[in-house]
Amino acid sequence: MTGEELASELEAEGLDEATAAEPGRTSAWSALEHRDFRLFWIGLVVSNIGTWMQQFGLGWLVVQLAIKDGVPQLAPFYLGLVGLSRALPGLAFGLFGGVVADRADRRRLLLVTQSSAAVFAGILAFLAISNQINIVEIVLISALNSIIFSFDAPTRQAMVPRLVSEKQLMSAIGLNSAAFNGATLVGPLVGGVLIIPFGVGGLMLINAVSYLAIVIALLLMRPQPVIDYGPRLSLLDSIREGLSFIRGDAVLRWVVLLSIATALFTRPYIQLLPAEAQLLGVGAIELSWLLAASGAGALGGALVTASLGGWKHRGALLVGAAFAHGTLLIFFGLQHTVIGAMVFVGLTSLAVMVYLGMANTLMQTRTPDALRGRVMSVQTMVFIGFMPLGQMVLGSVGTLVGINNAFLVGGVIVTLLAGYAALRVTALREASRDGASAGRDDVLARARLDRDWLRDRPLATLPSGGLLRDAEPVLVAMGAEHRVADGELDIRVSAAIGATPGCGPSHHQQRACTMTARHLTQKQR
């Protein structure tokens, strides 16, 4: 890769320090200025509407199967069983998906995963239309879809920062959430209308066809080539590298911990809404209203997230959103009317989306591209592993004490944990827009600036410009041979780099040093 190509890649990754330091105000829609992101987003909107039509139909079908089997009281357990079938493959393959995302052309990988998902949706539609479907087949296909999603989700999330600038990253994350959560509003409403003439199988067939939108969009987008970071670690070492990076950053540690807690104890409320509808004594139409209310709140939260590109106190907003989410779910669990349930499920979903937007943004902006797939795969594992597991936990508790009481217990746990984080975890509470890149670089420098590891590394070629020009005096102090020629900064690392005398108390020197360490690591690994 030439210096010019590498410069283009680094710019697309959203790692520009000047932008990070002063992003200014951005429109919620600004990410759509980029052609590839625009194609990607439109494809996601269409595909996600089909997905949520199927989600609505599948949840209703599972409840009907429990009634057909003569055990209507086990409907929450049936729903939890479907969740468990998604959880186990997610936990087993989630981290491996992140490694693949860091090693493959992300666009091509998404073509494979989305096409595979379309095939399984078609199989599910055939079984439902032919009236041959049972809970065992639903569990099996749900497990296979979970494996696909283990590779799809981290790839999709890791690709987004390459499609937009860092200034527009919050917009891109918010719009991606809006594409997902707008579909949770539109999909169930359309599904509630179409389920009467076409049945559940018809909804699943529409979902299979809707995957064509994202597949066509991916074909029209420019390739996402793999950046050459040099010799690769083994698969397990690559996973350990990603986990070590998260463990070394207090903010990321707590983001993951809160995400696991919400996944286990609160966020499965969406998948358990069919059981809530059964408790309220309503049918499929009212269930579609509940799902649509949730989707409306989630869409509002996603649009709020998309407009917060200039928001500084991201950690405080994340903790506040987690606290609000747990509290609102408690109120949702106290409702005994459809209207009351619609109001509080909408507010709960709004808080969830703000939380997820902040969590996603903190993880994306504190992680270099070389590790982004692996770091985001942890979020994916939480979503497709712990969240379905939580569906099983809450569904089982709901079977014993009532689904409303299960929501109450889960809400209390998350509220208490978020309150503890707000009061005691200073690093998370004070995580900010301006500190994101610095924290990321410092952690990576600690993980990588090791004399033995860097000794005798080959020549690295990096684009000059920005802070890298300012890094030249630091390179001299670090003992790194270098030259600037033809717009490129060539660096040879010496054995003395472990001493890093250039990393003095000056904030400017420290930033230049860690910037250099990060780029050296990315090129040479």
Side-chain angles (χ1 to χ4, degrees):
M1 178 179 288
T2 66
E4 183 178 352
E5 289 171 336
L6 181 58
S8 176
E9 289 295 334
L10 292 175
E11 179 183 5
E13 289 167 20
L15 295 174
D16 180 77
E17 294 294 327
T19 302
E22 194 175 357
R25 291 285 179 182
T26 58
S27 164
W29 308 95
S30 62
L32 294 176
E33 296 171 3
H34 297 266
R35 171 188 174 273
D36 281 354
F37 180 80
R38 189 165 59 247
L39 286 169
F40 187 58
W41 187 76
I42 292 172
L44 284 178
V45 169
V46 175
S47 178
N48 284 334
I49 289 174
T51 298
W52 273 94
M53 289 175 66
Q54 175 172 301
Q55 282 285 98
F56 158 72
L58 190 63
W60 183 249
L61 177 61
V62 169
V63 172
Q64 295 308 304
L65 287 174
I67 295 173
K68 180 182 176 182
D69 292 343
V71 285
Q73 72 279 7
L74 292 183
F77 178 76
Y78 271 37
L79 291 167
L81 192 61
V82 173
L84 181 64
S85 71
R86 294 171 181 158
L88 297 179
L91 292 171
F93 293 97
L95 297 178
F96 292 97
V99 175
V100 174
D102 282 337
R103 298 185 178 197
D105 182 317
R106 291 166 181 167
R107 185 183 68 102
R108 291 182 180 178
L109 184 55
L110 285 177
L111 280 169
V112 173
T113 58
Q114 293 290 314
S115 300
S116 301
V119 170
F120 285 120
I123 294 172
L124 203 57
F126 170 77
L127 292 172
I129 291 171
S130 62
N131 202 28
Q132 301 177 45
I133 199 162
N134 56 49
I135 191 66
V136 174
E137 291 163 342
I138 291 176
V139 164
L140 178 61
I141 292 177
S142 295
L144 292 172
N145 273 324
S146 180
I147 294 173
I148 292 171
F149 196 72
S150 296
F151 294 88
D152 180 271
T155 305
R156 182 163 24 89
Q157 292 175 326
M159 189 171 75
V160 168
R162 290 198 190 178
L163 302 180
V164 298
S165 67
E166 178 162 340
K167 184 176 182 180
Q168 294 162 321
L169 182 58
M170 283 283 286
S171 168
I173 291 172
L175 286 172
N176 268 354
S177 295
F180 179 81
N181 295 293
T184 68
L185 168 63
V186 177
L189 286 177
V190 175
V193 173
L194 297 183
I195 195 172
I196 297 173
F198 298 113
V200 173
L203 301 185
M204 295 174 177
L205 184 60
I206 293 172
N207 178 45
V209 174
S210 73
Y211 279 103
L212 286 174
I214 186 64
V215 169
I216 292 171
L218 288 167
L219 289 171
L220 293 175
M221 289 168 58
R222 286 181 285 269
Q224 293 284 316
V226 183
I227 300 178
D228 181 15
Y229 297 117
R232 291 173 175 171
L233 298 174
S234 68
L235 193 65
L236 292 178
D237 284 342
S238 293
I239 291 174
R240 280 194 289 267
E241 184 178 44
L243 294 176
S244 295
F245 181 80
I246 293 173
R247 191 167 56 247
D249 188 318
V251 173
L252 296 186
R253 280 201 313 272
W254 268 91
V255 169
V256 171
L257 179 60
L258 282 173
S259 295
I260 291 174
T262 57
L264 284 174
F265 302 115
T266 53
R267 285 169 57 198
Y269 71 93
I270 292 290
Q271 288 75 22
L272 294 171
L273 282 181
E276 176 72 13
Q278 184 188 35
L279 178 70
L280 295 173
V282 298
I285 299 299
E286 291 82 2
L287 171 60
S288 72
W289 295 351
L290 287 171
L291 287 167
S294 173
L299 178 60
L303 293 176
V304 168
T305 300
S307 65
L308 292 175
W311 186 268
K312 182 176 181 180
H313 304 290
R314 292 174 176 173
L317 184 57
L318 176 135
V319 173
F323 186 89
H325 165 48
T327 303
L328 288 167
L329 190 67
I330 293 172
F331 283 103
F332 173 66
L334 295 173
Q335 303 307 304
H336 298 287
T337 66
V338 173
I339 297 299
M342 288 174 63
V343 169
F344 280 98
V345 80
L347 292 174
T348 300
S349 295
L350 188 150
V352 168
M353 283 308 109
V354 174
Y355 167 79
L356 292 177
M358 289 302 104
N360 202 341
T361 300
L362 285 170
M363 295 195 78
Q364 294 267 21
T365 56
R366 298 180 77 88
T367 307
D369 187 72
L371 294 171
R372 189 170 286 130
R374 279 163 283 177
V375 170
M376 297 312 298
S377 73
V378 174
Q379 281 289 78
T380 300
M381 187 177 70
V382 169
F383 182 76
I384 64 175
F386 286 97
M387 189 168 166
L389 191 61
Q391 182 180 338
M392 181 67 187
V393 171
L394 289 183
S396 299
V397 173
T399 300
L400 296 175
V401 300
I403 195 65
N404 274 16
N405 291 324
F407 291 149
L408 283 172
V409 172
V412 168
I413 292 172
V414 167
T415 299
L416 291 175
L417 184 61
Y420 176 85
L423 295 174
R424 302 297 300 271
V425 187
T426 305
L428 179 62
R429 188 178 66 247
E430 296 182 355
S432 68
R433 179 195 71 206
D434 296 339
S437 295
R440 174 198 61 211
D441 292 341
D442 291 343
V443 172
L444 193 57
R446 287 198 303 271
R448 292 286 185 269
L449 270 180
D450 179 88
R451 181 186 291 108
D452 296 332
W453 188 89
L454 288 168
R455 183 179 290 121
D456 301 324
R457 290 284 162 175
L459 188 70
T461 302
L462 300 164
S464 62
L467 282 176
L468 289 178
R469 281 197 300 266
D470 302 328
E472 190 169 0
V474 178
L475 293 171
V476 174
M478 291 168 69
E481 300 175 17
H482 68 284
R483 61 185 175 84
V484 179
D486 299 325
E488 294 181 347
L489 178 62
D490 295 338
I491 306 169
R492 184 181 298 277
V493 180
S494 73
I497 194 172
T500 59
C503 293
S506 164
H507 174 75
H508 181 73
Q509 276 193 325
Q510 181 71 32
R511 175 64 60 84
C513 180
T514 54
M515 278 282 293
T516 303
R518 184 189 69 213
H519 287 298
L520 280 171
T521 299
Q522 287 190 352
K523 183 63 183 176
Q524 291 169 5
R525 281 296 273 183

